[in-house]
Amino acid sequence: MAVQTDAPTTSTSAAASGAASVDLGPAAGLSCRECGERFALGPIFACEQCFGPLEVAYDLPTGDPERLRKQIEAGPANIWRYAPLLPVPADVADKPNLNPGWTKLVKADNLARELGVTGGLFVKDDSGNPTHSFKDRVVAQALEAARAFGFTTLSCSSTGNLAGAVGAAAARAGFRSCVFIPHDLEQGKVVMAAVYGGDLVGIEGTYDDVNRFCSELIGDPIGEGWGFVNVNLRPYYAEGSKTLAYEICEQLGWRLPDQIVVPIASGSQLTKIDKGLQELIKLGLVEDRPYKIFGAQAEGCSPVSAAFKAGHDVVRPQKPDTIAKSLAIGNPADGPYVLDIARRTGGAVEDVNDEQVVDAIKLLARTEGIFAETAGGVTVGVTRKLIENGVLDPALTTVVLNTGDGLKTLDAVSPSTGPTATIRPSLDAFRAAGLAH
């Protein structure tokens, strides 16, 4: 038996012709999130009827939840333990890939004491992925779609972490890669994207300029045979974020968190975490009970937060100006859906300024030994602000996401971080520095 989740009854897309033979596991087709139009599996991302975004629809396994739970628990210690719930072939674990996922869920008792959280505070630390960010999860899904559709080049528009994840995944799988980034990214992310040997192209402008260029490239003969993970492969790519929800619930003993704080760039991660939680409920793997999802943005690029606070349903684009460059998407594609989820679950969307981001990075490092990149500083900073404002309940179980490694964004903390003292190599000098205690 299987449960349909918006599975298609027709195949209306010429672009997806012949896709019926494509093996993407339980993926049954694509469905428009706006009008519900159905399409066959293929490298398409926008509805031909209303231009709304497409997402993967499934025939998910049903029957005995305990049997499925045991099957998952017996799987590999990476995202492929959830292959029966993802748009990937059954033999995905046997193919050359980076095997991301199953990262630590850290019980953050020291941070909880600092913030006044009594109900249990956890940090989902995705800096432990192969290229040290959650982007390895989404790229792994897109790579399998690229294989299925016969692409030979893997590409993306990126604020940094995705470029590195694509470069690494392509190198491992034997694909060519060509990735596009804003010209002024942090040097650590530039080096990490370039070291894998693919082509790295800096574009003069913001991420939104980069993304527009990539959309043009897809429609040009130059882009033939190219799989853009976050454009023409976006429906499959986005599903990788569901694995964060799966892992969090499994690591909590197959239960939903009461509250979860998620950083917002495009907004896709937050919407897919919600989708993953809903799927676990439908499959009977977790008890159906209320949960709240909170979105976190940097003040210098906070279009979704601004819309939430103003009570708007439409997100007005902004020009980014923040140290949190991985979140610097001024026109987030999933912004309206983030607003819907925050309101439906009783959550909120909040923002913090650059100084608060840096303070939060240091707080997390000092209390839990986790060095987060600026996006992690945003989530921790927003969590603190939500508690102080009485919006997030400190008596409930709360999960905060750290999506990347602080070594990638050293510029954010280096001006205010350094040696406690520089002394001569003698005990007298050490004592004089006031450190002998």
Side-chain angles (χ1 to χ4, degrees):
M1 294 290 293
V3 57
Q4 285 193 332
T5 60
D6 295 322
T9 56
T10 59
S11 176
T12 60
S13 172
S17 61
S21 61
V22 170
D23 178 15
L24 287 176
L30 300 174
S31 177
C32 177
R33 291 164 73 177
E34 289 295 325
C35 72
E37 185 71 15
R38 312 295 178 79
F39 300 86
L41 295 171
I44 54 174
F45 62 98
C47 176
E48 295 173 355
Q49 304 302 316
C50 72
F51 302 107
L54 301 180
E55 65 176 358
V56 179
Y58 294 89
D59 286 330
L60 293 177
T62 59
D64 183 359
E66 186 59 30
R67 181 178 179 181
L68 177 57
R69 190 180 293 116
K70 289 180 178 178
Q71 178 186 351
I72 290 171
E73 291 173 346
N78 55 53
I79 57 173
W80 305 133
R81 68 199 287 115
Y82 307 110
L85 312 180
L86 296 170
V88 295
D91 63 347
V92 62
D94 300 325
K95 298 181 178 182
N97 59 68
L98 296 178
N99 297 324
W102 202 241
T103 54
K104 293 179 180 179
L105 183 68
V106 179
K107 193 170 189 298
D109 291 340
N110 296 329
L111 179 61
R113 281 192 291 272
E114 289 270 353
L115 300 182
V117 175
T118 58
L121 179 64
F122 298 83
V123 176
K124 181 59 172 171
D125 186 14
D126 246 24
S127 66
N129 278 310
T131 68
H132 307 285
S133 91
F134 91 96
K135 291 295 187 181
D136 291 318
R137 297 175 181 270
V138 290
V139 170
Q141 312 303 311
L143 174 62
E144 295 312 311
R147 289 193 222 261
F149 301 138
F151 290 123
T152 56
T153 296
L154 213 59
S155 186
C156 69
S157 54
S158 174
T159 58
N161 282 326
L162 181 57
V166 167
R172 172 72 176 136
F175 279 66
R176 180 208 172 195
S177 69
C178 183
V179 300
F180 301 88
I181 60 173
H183 70 287
D184 60 349
L185 285 186
E186 302 97 334
Q187 187 62 17
K189 291 181 179 177
V190 173
V191 171
M192 191 166 193
V195 75
Y196 300 109
D199 292 315
L200 175 67
V201 181
I203 300 292
E204 296 177 357
T206 67
Y207 171 80
D208 297 292
D209 297 316
V210 179
N211 202 36
R212 281 191 292 271
F213 170 78
C214 289
S215 297
E216 292 177 15
L217 186 55
I218 286 176
D220 190 274
I222 297 174
E224 185 175 351
W226 288 37
F228 284 81
V229 301
N230 53 344
V231 188
N232 59 350
L233 296 176
R234 186 174 183 84
Y236 315 95
Y237 156 94
E239 295 296 286
S241 289
K242 295 193 309 180
T243 60
L244 280 161
Y246 298 159
E247 288 180 20
I248 288 169
C249 290
E250 183 177 353
Q251 290 169 327
L252 287 174
W254 291 107
R255 64 184 179 89
L256 296 167
D258 297 315
Q259 303 170 134
I260 183 168
V261 186
V262 185
I264 298 172
S266 71
S268 176
Q269 183 184 70
L270 187 149
T271 62
K272 294 307 178 185
I273 285 175
D274 179 65
K275 184 180 181 182
L277 297 177
Q278 289 296 312
E279 287 175 351
L280 292 180
I281 292 170
K282 290 177 183 177
L283 291 167
L285 293 175
V286 297
E287 179 186 353
D288 185 3
R289 59 186 183 82
Y291 61 86
K292 296 181 180 181
I293 297 184
F294 298 87
Q297 292 203 291
E299 185 180 284
C301 185
S302 53
V304 187
S305 175
F308 181 86
K309 293 174 182 178
H312 296 161
D313 295 325
V314 176
V315 176
R316 178 177 295 178
Q318 295 181 356
K319 184 175 181 180
D321 182 19
T322 173
I323 60 171
K325 294 183 179 180
S326 62
L327 304 183
I329 297 180
N331 188 17
D334 278 28
Y337 303 107
V338 169
L339 294 172
D340 290 343
I341 290 168
R343 289 165 179 157
R344 170 173 58 79
T345 65
V349 186
E350 187 54 89
D351 56 80
V352 285
N353 62 37
D354 286 353
E355 182 179 354
Q356 292 169 312
V357 172
V358 173
D359 286 346
I361 292 172
K362 292 180 177 180
L363 174 63
L364 181 59
R366 174 171 58 80
T367 57
E368 300 298 341
I370 298 172
F371 184 18
E373 70 165 35
T374 48
V378 169
T379 53
V380 173
V382 163
T383 300
R384 177 162 57 182
K385 187 173 182 179
L386 290 170
I387 293 171
E388 291 173 348
N389 292 344
V391 178
L392 190 146
D393 189 343
L396 298 178
T397 301
T398 304
V399 176
V400 177
L401 266 61
N402 173 43
T403 52
D405 195 319
L407 292 174
K408 295 185 177 187
T409 57
L410 289 173
D411 289 351
V413 294
S414 57
S416 58
T417 307
T420 303
T422 301
I423 64 171
R424 299 187 313 277
S426 74
L427 292 175
D428 287 343
F430 183 66
R431 292 190 184 96
L435 302 175
H437 54 76

Short mmCIF file of all heavy atoms in Angstrom, two decimals, residues 348-381:
data_model
loop_
_atom_site.label_atom_id
_atom_site.label_comp_id
_atom_site.label_asym_id
_atom_site.label_seq_id
_atom_site.Cartn_x
_atom_site.Cartn_y
_atom_site.Cartn_z
N ALA A 348 6.74 32.61 14.16
CA ALA A 348 6.99 34.01 13.81
C ALA A 348 8.22 34.07 12.93
O ALA A 348 8.94 33.08 12.75
CB ALA A 348 7.18 34.85 15.07
N VAL A 349 8.48 35.24 12.36
CA VAL A 349 9.71 35.52 11.62
C VAL A 349 10.33 36.76 12.22
O VAL A 349 9.67 37.80 12.34
CB VAL A 349 9.45 35.71 10.11
CG1 VAL A 349 10.77 35.84 9.37
CG2 VAL A 349 8.63 34.55 9.54
N GLU A 350 11.60 36.66 12.62
CA GLU A 350 12.28 37.75 13.30
C GLU A 350 13.65 37.97 12.68
O GLU A 350 14.15 37.13 11.92
CB GLU A 350 12.39 37.43 14.80
CG GLU A 350 12.94 38.54 15.68
CD GLU A 350 12.20 39.84 15.56
OE1 GLU A 350 11.22 40.06 16.30
OE2 GLU A 350 12.61 40.66 14.70
N ASP A 351 14.27 39.11 12.99
CA ASP A 351 15.60 39.41 12.46
C ASP A 351 16.48 40.01 13.53
O ASP A 351 15.99 40.50 14.55
CB ASP A 351 15.50 40.35 11.25
CG ASP A 351 14.75 41.64 11.59
OD1 ASP A 351 15.37 42.54 12.18
OD2 ASP A 351 13.55 41.73 11.27
N VAL A 352 17.80 39.94 13.30
CA VAL A 352 18.79 40.53 14.21
C VAL A 352 19.83 41.28 13.37
O VAL A 352 20.06 40.95 12.20
CB VAL A 352 19.49 39.46 15.08
CG1 VAL A 352 18.58 38.96 16.17
CG2 VAL A 352 19.99 38.29 14.22
N ASN A 353 20.46 42.28 13.99
CA ASN A 353 21.46 43.05 13.25
C ASN A 353 22.82 42.37 13.28
O ASN A 353 23.01 41.36 13.97
CB ASN A 353 21.54 44.49 13.80
CG ASN A 353 21.97 44.55 15.26
OD1 ASN A 353 22.82 43.79 15.72
ND2 ASN A 353 21.40 45.49 16.01
N ASP A 354 23.78 42.92 12.54
CA ASP A 354 25.08 42.27 12.40
C ASP A 354 25.80 42.13 13.73
O ASP A 354 26.46 41.11 13.98
CB ASP A 354 25.96 43.06 11.41
CG ASP A 354 25.53 42.87 9.97
OD1 ASP A 354 24.64 42.04 9.71
OD2 ASP A 354 26.10 43.55 9.08
N GLU A 355 25.70 43.12 14.59
CA GLU A 355 26.36 43.03 15.90
C GLU A 355 25.77 41.89 16.72
O GLU A 355 26.51 41.14 17.39
CB GLU A 355 26.19 44.35 16.65
CG GLU A 355 26.87 44.37 18.01
CD GLU A 355 26.71 45.69 18.75
OE1 GLU A 355 26.15 46.64 18.14
OE2 GLU A 355 27.12 45.77 19.91
N GLN A 356 24.47 41.71 16.65
CA GLN A 356 23.83 40.61 17.36
C GLN A 356 24.21 39.26 16.77
O GLN A 356 24.32 38.27 17.50
CB GLN A 356 22.30 40.79 17.33
CG GLN A 356 21.81 41.98 18.15
CD GLN A 356 20.34 42.29 17.90
OE1 GLN A 356 19.89 42.37 16.75
NE2 GLN A 356 19.58 42.48 18.96
N VAL A 357 24.42 39.22 15.46
CA VAL A 357 24.87 37.99 14.80
C VAL A 357 26.23 37.57 15.34
O VAL A 357 26.46 36.41 15.71
CB VAL A 357 24.93 38.17 13.28
CG1 VAL A 357 25.59 36.95 12.62
CG2 VAL A 357 23.53 38.37 12.70
N VAL A 358 27.16 38.51 15.40
CA VAL A 358 28.50 38.21 15.90
C VAL A 358 28.45 37.78 17.36
O VAL A 358 29.10 36.80 17.76
CB VAL A 358 29.43 39.43 15.72
CG1 VAL A 358 30.78 39.18 16.39
CG2 VAL A 358 29.63 39.72 14.23
N ASP A 359 27.68 38.48 18.18
CA ASP A 359 27.54 38.11 19.59
C ASP A 359 27.00 36.70 19.74
O ASP A 359 27.44 35.93 20.62
CB ASP A 359 26.61 39.10 20.30
CG ASP A 359 27.24 40.45 20.54
OD1 ASP A 359 28.48 40.56 20.41
OD2 ASP A 359 26.49 41.41 20.84
N ALA A 360 26.06 36.34 18.89
CA ALA A 360 25.45 35.00 18.97
C ALA A 360 26.43 33.92 18.52
O ALA A 360 26.43 32.81 19.09
CB ALA A 360 24.18 34.96 18.13
N ILE A 361 27.24 34.20 17.51
CA ILE A 361 28.27 33.25 17.10
C ILE A 361 29.20 32.95 18.27
O ILE A 361 29.53 31.79 18.57
CB ILE A 361 29.08 33.80 15.90
CG1 ILE A 361 28.21 33.85 14.64
CG2 ILE A 361 30.32 32.92 15.63
CD1 ILE A 361 28.88 34.56 13.48
N LYS A 362 29.64 34.00 18.95
CA LYS A 362 30.55 33.84 20.09
C LYS A 362 29.86 33.14 21.25
O LYS A 362 30.47 32.31 21.95
CB LYS A 362 31.07 35.21 20.53
CG LYS A 362 32.00 35.87 19.51
CD LYS A 362 32.48 37.22 20.04
CE LYS A 362 33.45 37.87 19.10
NZ LYS A 362 33.93 39.19 19.62
N LEU A 363 28.58 33.43 21.46
CA LEU A 363 27.83 32.79 22.54
C LEU A 363 27.74 31.28 22.32
O LEU A 363 27.99 30.50 23.25
CB LEU A 363 26.43 33.40 22.63
CG LEU A 363 25.46 32.73 23.61
CD1 LEU A 363 25.98 32.86 25.04
CD2 LEU A 363 24.06 33.34 23.48
N LEU A 364 27.40 30.87 21.12
CA LEU A 364 27.29 29.45 20.81
C LEU A 364 28.65 28.76 20.94
O LEU A 364 28.75 27.65 21.48
CB LEU A 364 26.72 29.25 19.41
CG LEU A 364 26.54 27.80 18.94
CD1 LEU A 364 25.60 27.04 19.87
CD2 LEU A 364 26.03 27.77 17.50
N ALA A 365 29.70 29.42 20.48
CA ALA A 365 31.04 28.85 20.58
C ALA A 365 31.46 28.72 22.05
O ALA A 365 32.02 27.70 22.47
CB ALA A 365 32.03 29.71 19.81
N ARG A 366 31.20 29.75 22.83
CA ARG A 366 31.62 29.78 24.23
C ARG A 366 30.86 28.78 25.08
O ARG A 366 31.43 28.18 26.01
CB ARG A 366 31.43 31.20 24.79
CG ARG A 366 31.70 31.35 26.28
CD ARG A 366 31.69 32.81 26.72
NE ARG A 366 30.43 33.48 26.43
CZ ARG A 366 29.33 33.38 27.17
NH1 ARG A 366 29.33 32.61 28.25
NH2 ARG A 366 28.24 34.06 26.84
N THR A 367 29.59 28.56 24.78
CA THR A 367 28.78 27.69 25.62
C THR A 367 28.77 26.23 25.18
O THR A 367 28.69 25.33 26.01
CB THR A 367 27.32 28.18 25.66
OG1 THR A 367 26.80 28.27 24.32
CG2 THR A 367 27.23 29.54 26.35
N GLU A 368 28.86 25.98 23.86
CA GLU A 368 28.70 24.61 23.36
C GLU A 368 29.86 24.11 22.51
O GLU A 368 29.84 22.97 22.06
CB GLU A 368 27.39 24.48 22.57
CG GLU A 368 26.14 24.81 23.36
CD GLU A 368 25.92 23.87 24.56
OE1 GLU A 368 26.51 22.77 24.57
OE2 GLU A 368 25.16 24.25 25.48
N GLY A 369 30.87 24.96 22.28
CA GLY A 369 31.99 24.52 21.47
C GLY A 369 31.64 24.33 20.01
O GLY A 369 32.29 23.57 19.29
N ILE A 370 30.60 25.02 19.55
CA ILE A 370 30.18 24.96 18.14
C ILE A 370 30.48 26.30 17.50
O ILE A 370 29.94 27.33 17.94
CB ILE A 370 28.67 24.64 18.01
CG1 ILE A 370 28.37 23.27 18.60
CG2 ILE A 370 28.24 24.70 16.56
CD1 ILE A 370 26.89 22.95 18.68
N PHE A 371 31.32 26.29 16.48
CA PHE A 371 31.68 27.53 15.78
C PHE A 371 30.81 27.62 14.54
O PHE A 371 31.05 26.95 13.54
CB PHE A 371 33.17 27.51 15.43
CG PHE A 371 33.67 28.78 14.78
CD1 PHE A 371 32.98 29.98 14.86
CD2 PHE A 371 34.88 28.78 14.08
CE1 PHE A 371 33.44 31.14 14.27
CE2 PHE A 371 35.37 29.94 13.49
CZ PHE A 371 34.66 31.11 13.58
N ALA A 372 29.79 28.45 14.61
CA ALA A 372 28.82 28.57 13.52
C ALA A 372 29.23 29.67 12.55
O ALA A 372 29.87 30.65 12.93
CB ALA A 372 27.44 28.90 14.09
N GLU A 373 28.82 29.49 11.31
CA GLU A 373 28.97 30.60 10.37
C GLU A 373 27.89 31.64 10.68
O GLU A 373 27.09 31.48 11.59
CB GLU A 373 28.89 30.11 8.92
CG GLU A 373 27.53 29.64 8.47
CD GLU A 373 27.47 29.54 6.94
OE1 GLU A 373 28.47 29.18 6.32
OE2 GLU A 373 26.40 29.83 6.39
N THR A 374 27.87 32.69 9.90
CA THR A 374 26.96 33.80 10.21
C THR A 374 25.49 33.39 10.21
O THR A 374 24.70 33.92 11.00
CB THR A 374 27.17 34.95 9.21
OG1 THR A 374 27.18 34.43 7.87
CG2 THR A 374 28.50 35.65 9.48
N ALA A 375 25.10 32.43 9.37
CA ALA A 375 23.70 31.98 9.38
C ALA A 375 23.34 31.37 10.72
O ALA A 375 22.23 31.55 11.23
CB ALA A 375 23.45 30.99 8.24
N GLY A 376 24.27 30.61 11.31
CA GLY A 376 24.03 30.05 12.64
C GLY A 376 23.94 31.13 13.69
O GLY A 376 23.17 31.03 14.65
N GLY A 377 24.74 32.20 13.52
CA GLY A 377 24.63 33.34 14.42
C GLY A 377 23.27 34.00 14.32
O GLY A 377 22.72 34.48 15.33
N VAL A 378 22.71 34.02 13.12
CA VAL A 378 21.37 34.58 12.94
C VAL A 378 20.33 33.76 13.70
O VAL A 378 19.47 34.32 14.41
CB VAL A 378 21.02 34.66 11.44
CG1 VAL A 378 19.54 35.00 11.25
CG2 VAL A 378 21.89 35.71 10.74
N THR A 379 20.37 32.43 13.58
CA THR A 379 19.35 31.61 14.25
C THR A 379 19.47 31.70 15.76
O THR A 379 18.46 31.81 16.47
CB THR A 379 19.43 30.14 13.81
OG1 THR A 379 20.76 29.65 13.97
CG2 THR A 379 19.01 29.98 12.37
N VAL A 380 20.71 31.65 16.29
CA VAL A 380 20.89 31.74 17.74
C VAL A 380 20.49 33.14 18.23
O VAL A 380 19.81 33.29 19.25
CB VAL A 380 22.34 31.42 18.14
CG1 VAL A 380 22.57 31.69 19.63
CG2 VAL A 380 22.66 29.97 17.83
N GLY A 381 20.89 34.17 17.47
CA GLY A 381 20.52 35.53 17.85
C GLY A 381 19.03 35.75 17.83
O GLY A 381 18.47 36.39 18.74
#
